[in-house]
Amino acid sequence: MRAIFCTYRSDRELERCTVAAETRARWQVVYDDIRGQIDRGVLGKGDQVPGEVFLADRHGVARSTVRSALSRLEQEGLITAGKGRLGRTVRNDEPLVWNLHSFERRDRRDDPNTGMDDWARGVADQGRIPHQEIKPSLEMAEATVAGWLGVPVNSPVVRRSRRRAVDDRPWQLSDSWFPEWAKDTPLLTHVEDLVLPGGALAYLGHPQVRTRDEIRVRMPSPGEAQRLEIPVGTPVMEHVRIGYGVDDMPVRVMITVAPGDRTTLVYELEV
Amino acid sequence: MRAIFCTYRSDRELERCTVAAETRARWQVVYDDIRGQIDRGVLGKGDQVPGEVFLADRHGVARSTVRSALSRLEQEGLITAGKGRLGRTVRNDEPLVWNLHSFERRDRRDDPNTGMDDWARGVADQGRIPHQEIKPSLEMAEATVAGWLGVPVNSPVVRRSRRRAVDDRPWQLSDSWFPEWAKDTPLLTHVEDLVLPGGALAYLGHPQVRTRDEIRVRMPSPGEAQRLEIPVGTPVMEHVRIGYGVDDMPVRVMITVAPGDRTTLVYELEV
DNA sequence: CAGTGGTCTAGACCACGCT
DNA sequence: GCGTGGTCTAGACCACTGG
């Protein structure tokens, strides 16, 4: 029983693990080879990963064994596969900060001059170009949304479905749901950002006085992966914000799905 | 455009699917079969997934083709693989709510009677059994931590490394880092929860008056996956809380890594 | 023991995209 | 054209676990 010491360098610390030689699979040897090169900086961000046939030859294994190793690295979000002559490359993604403490709250920064809402301003302030498409619709509330909004299932609700992009790349899918009163407001008719003094909800007489945010993380569904151009091995954040009015009833529910490799959530709180 | 009819017999029902031959890979047919059964509830949480050989036979494909489909479902966190006779099962995880608005803040709920700190109380209130091990140590600050704490690189800092478990299952890895002053306090010597009136930091004369939380999501490193018993296809949340003191200097940085399938973050905010 | 998933091989054909 | 990854086959041996 011979022991092998393998080192693994994380962002914050160096770890060491001991593995029995007999238990180490051949695909793991290939995996460690590439992973080590990435961690040590031999392979930098955006660099091309050696090809499957080359690695199979070098390690003396079958091509499918190499594919097991590379597919694991893809799952972990370290590399991404191109098509044709491109080959695989080491992933390189710049996360965007999304400040959820200030987002759509007291100190919201809608800009009537540029027509940018709070989200767009936050993106523009980071030197990126925001863009969003909005599709309003009148729908029957499904169970989940009905529960959050505190209305009966299948009662009419207004939905504003957003697809947000940054620098012409898809960034977020964000759906807002409002109770029935919203059907007589621009929330149902206006297809652009609603930039109104104090925020659209306050302007329409239904200010949010309290919010509850729930954050979950999971792998994307095939549909989400397609619409957000999410590569294999990238999780998504699911952010649900429920806004409550002065009577402590929900005035809006917003469900946002954001790719994990392009998003950092921030909350700044006073104790 | 040739159509392939494939029939699949589960224990409970016989299904038939029609697929365009040109547009759909054969592993995707198998994938859609199982995914559909999960989505429609034919396969419930905890149920056993049909075996590889069985599926290969029913769909008339090679076993490795079936494995491609099942491995994709594993990546997406829908099923999990057992060993030996167990086979694969549909995943079944109950997320635990972690309220980060109240966590370690003004309304913290440490309990001197039970010796539970704020986190443990939050878990116990949800009917689960919390447990944590703490390892304090004096270390040299790495670049990341030094930057967050606002101290020189390689200057001495106190680290309290936590491994939290719920119901005897690993739950979080949480490391707190304190500036040099902490080396003369129980923060460096006490290996249990520090339950002190108003919270340890306030009691020791360095209250947090403001915090900044950063939340990121990624796939776990191999070490994290092992220590937290994270199955394939499960992302982690990385939560960084920087606490600032009355002089607006950081008094503590806490980095928490939590498995995505067992955690829901909650922030409740007043507008 | 029988059946499960884990690993592995040595081939094969294809679509794609660069040169 | 040629090398890339995507898909697929038909075998094989192994460790593990339940009945």
Side-chain angles (χ1 to χ4, degrees):
Chain A
M1 201 67 157
R2 189 168 54 93
I4 294 177
F5 290 92
C6 61
T7 55
Y8 165 72
R9 176 120 179 85
S10 78
D11 287 319
R12 286 194 304 278
E13 67 181 277
L14 188 71
E15 300 177 13
R16 169 173 288 177
C17 56
T18 315
V19 185
E22 284 76 15
T23 61
R24 182 187 218 74
R26 306 185 72 169
W27 69 262
Q28 264 180 318
V29 177
V30 183
Y31 170 92
D32 288 340
D33 175 22
I34 304 299
R35 168 114 210 179
Q37 289 191 47
I38 294 172
D39 291 341
R40 288 195 310 275
V42 180
L43 284 173
K45 292 188 174 183
D47 284 1
Q48 186 149 357
V49 178
E52 295 178 0
V53 178
F54 175 86
L55 286 170
D57 192 43
R58 185 183 188 78
H59 286 95
V61 297
R63 190 180 148 216
S64 57
T65 303
V66 171
R67 281 181 64 79
S68 295
L70 294 177
S71 114
R72 186 62 170 263
L73 289 163
E74 235 178 283
Q75 286 170 38
E76 292 175 2
L78 290 171
I79 64 176
T80 190
K83 281 184 176 179
R85 198 65 175 272
L86 295 172
R88 293 185 173 85
T89 48
V90 180
R91 280 182 59 173
N92 180 17
D93 294 295
E94 286 300 313
L96 189 77
V97 170
W98 192 28
N99 192 319
L100 286 163
H101 166 246
S102 63
F103 180 60
E104 298 205 316
R105 294 168 60 74
R106 189 195 303 127
D107 42 357
R108 53 182 305 141
R109 298 173 299 171
D110 305 82
D111 190 338
N113 298 322
T114 57
M116 285 183 180
D117 71 0
D118 196 32
W119 173 79
R121 264 302 298 272
V123 172
D125 286 352
Q126 293 174 60
R128 316 288 282 267
I129 301 168
H131 176 73
Q132 51 186 334
E133 298 158 11
I134 304 175
K135 286 184 190 165
S137 58
L138 189 61
E139 305 197 359
M140 302 300 172
E142 288 176 21
T144 323
V145 170
W148 276 323
L149 270 185
V151 301
V153 174
N154 286 329
S155 63
V157 287
V158 171
R159 174 185 190 172
R160 282 174 76 81
S161 194
R162 274 186 169 82
R163 191 165 161 281
R164 294 180 170 137
V166 172
D167 296 342
D168 279 329
R169 210 177 154 201
W171 216 263
Q172 291 182 346
L173 303 174
S174 185
D175 281 17
S176 285
W177 304 80
F178 303 89
E180 195 174 357
W181 57 258
K183 72 182 179 188
D184 303 317
T185 72
L187 288 171
L188 182 53
T189 53
H190 202 68
V191 297
E192 303 291 327
D193 293 356
L194 264 183
V195 178
L196 297 170
L201 283 168
Y203 188 84
L204 294 170
H206 294 82
Q208 294 183 128
V209 299
R210 175 169 75 82
T211 59
R212 175 187 171 90
D213 290 6
E214 296 183 358
I215 300 153
R216 273 172 275 269
V217 44
R218 57 177 170 78
M219 299 311 283
S221 72
E224 289 167 343
Q226 192 189 354
R227 295 176 68 193
L228 290 170
E229 294 173 16
I230 299 176
V232 175
T234 305
V236 294
M237 295 179 176
E238 186 177 280
H239 175 257
V240 178
R241 170 165 288 184
I242 310 175
Y244 296 88
V246 285
D247 54 357
D248 219 39
M249 287 295 291
V251 292
R252 191 263 295 266
V253 174
M254 179 174 58
I255 304 166
T256 306
V257 176
D261 57 348
R262 295 163 230 171
T263 314
T264 297
L265 304 188
V266 169
Y267 284 88
E268 288 175 324
L269 306 176
E270 308 287 324
V271 172
Chain B
M1 204 66 157
R2 187 171 54 94
I4 298 177
F5 289 90
C6 58
T7 56
Y8 167 72
R9 178 197 289 281
S10 75
D11 287 343
R12 296 197 213 97
E13 72 175 40
L14 185 72
E15 298 180 16
R16 165 173 292 173
C17 56
T18 313
V19 188
E22 284 75 11
T23 58
R24 194 177 234 87
R26 307 185 71 167
W27 69 262
Q28 262 180 318
V29 177
V30 183
Y31 170 93
D32 289 341
D33 175 22
I34 303 300
R35 167 114 209 178
Q37 290 192 46
I38 293 172
D39 290 343
R40 289 195 309 278
V42 178
L43 284 173
K45 292 188 174 184
D47 283 0
Q48 186 151 358
V49 177
E52 295 179 2
V53 178
F54 177 86
L55 287 170
D57 193 42
R58 280 292 169 255
H59 285 96
V61 298
R63 192 181 147 215
S64 56
T65 303
V66 171
R67 282 182 63 78
S68 295
L70 295 177
S71 114
R72 186 62 170 264
L73 289 163
E74 235 179 282
Q75 286 169 38
E76 292 174 3
L78 289 171
I79 64 175
T80 189
K83 280 184 178 179
R85 202 63 175 272
L86 296 171
R88 292 186 173 83
T89 48
V90 181
R91 280 182 59 173
N92 180 16
D93 295 293
E94 286 300 315
L96 189 77
V97 171
W98 192 29
N99 192 318
L100 287 164
H101 167 246
S102 63
F103 179 61
E104 299 207 315
R105 294 170 58 74
R106 189 194 304 125
D107 42 356
R108 53 183 305 143
R109 297 173 301 171
D110 306 82
D111 190 337
N113 298 323
T114 58
M116 284 184 181
D117 70 0
D118 195 31
W119 173 80
R121 264 304 296 273
V123 172
D125 285 353
Q126 294 175 60
R128 316 288 282 269
I129 301 168
H131 176 72
Q132 53 186 333
E133 300 158 10
I134 303 175
K135 285 185 190 165
S137 57
L138 189 61
E139 304 197 0
M140 301 302 172
E142 287 176 23
T144 322
V145 170
W148 275 323
L149 270 184
V151 300
V153 174
N154 286 330
S155 63
V157 287
V158 170
R159 174 184 189 173
R160 283 174 77 81
S161 195
R162 275 187 168 79
R163 192 166 162 280
R164 294 180 170 137
V166 172
D167 296 341
D168 280 329
R169 210 177 154 201
W171 217 262
Q172 290 181 347
L173 303 175
S174 187
D175 282 16
S176 285
W177 304 79
F178 304 88
E180 195 174 356
W181 58 257
K183 73 181 178 187
D184 302 316
T185 72
L187 289 171
L188 182 54
T189 53
H190 203 68
V191 297
E192 303 291 328
D193 294 354
L194 264 184
V195 179
L196 297 170
L201 282 169
Y203 189 83
L204 295 171
H206 295 83
Q208 294 182 126
V209 298
R210 175 170 77 81
T211 58
R212 175 187 171 89
D213 290 7
E214 296 183 358
I215 300 154
R216 273 173 275 269
V217 45
R218 55 176 172 79
M219 299 310 284
S221 72
E224 289 166 344
Q226 190 190 357
R227 294 176 69 192
L228 289 170
E229 293 173 17
I230 300 176
V232 175
T234 305
V236 293
M237 295 178 177
E238 187 177 279
H239 175 258
V240 179
R241 171 165 287 186
I242 311 174
Y244 295 88
V246 285
D247 53 358
D248 218 39
M249 286 295 292
V251 293
R252 191 264 295 263
V253 174
M254 179 174 58
I255 304 164
T256 305
V257 176
D261 58 347
R262 295 164 229 171
T263 313
T264 297
L265 304 188
V266 170
Y267 284 89
E268 288 175 324
L269 308 176
E270 307 287 326
V271 172

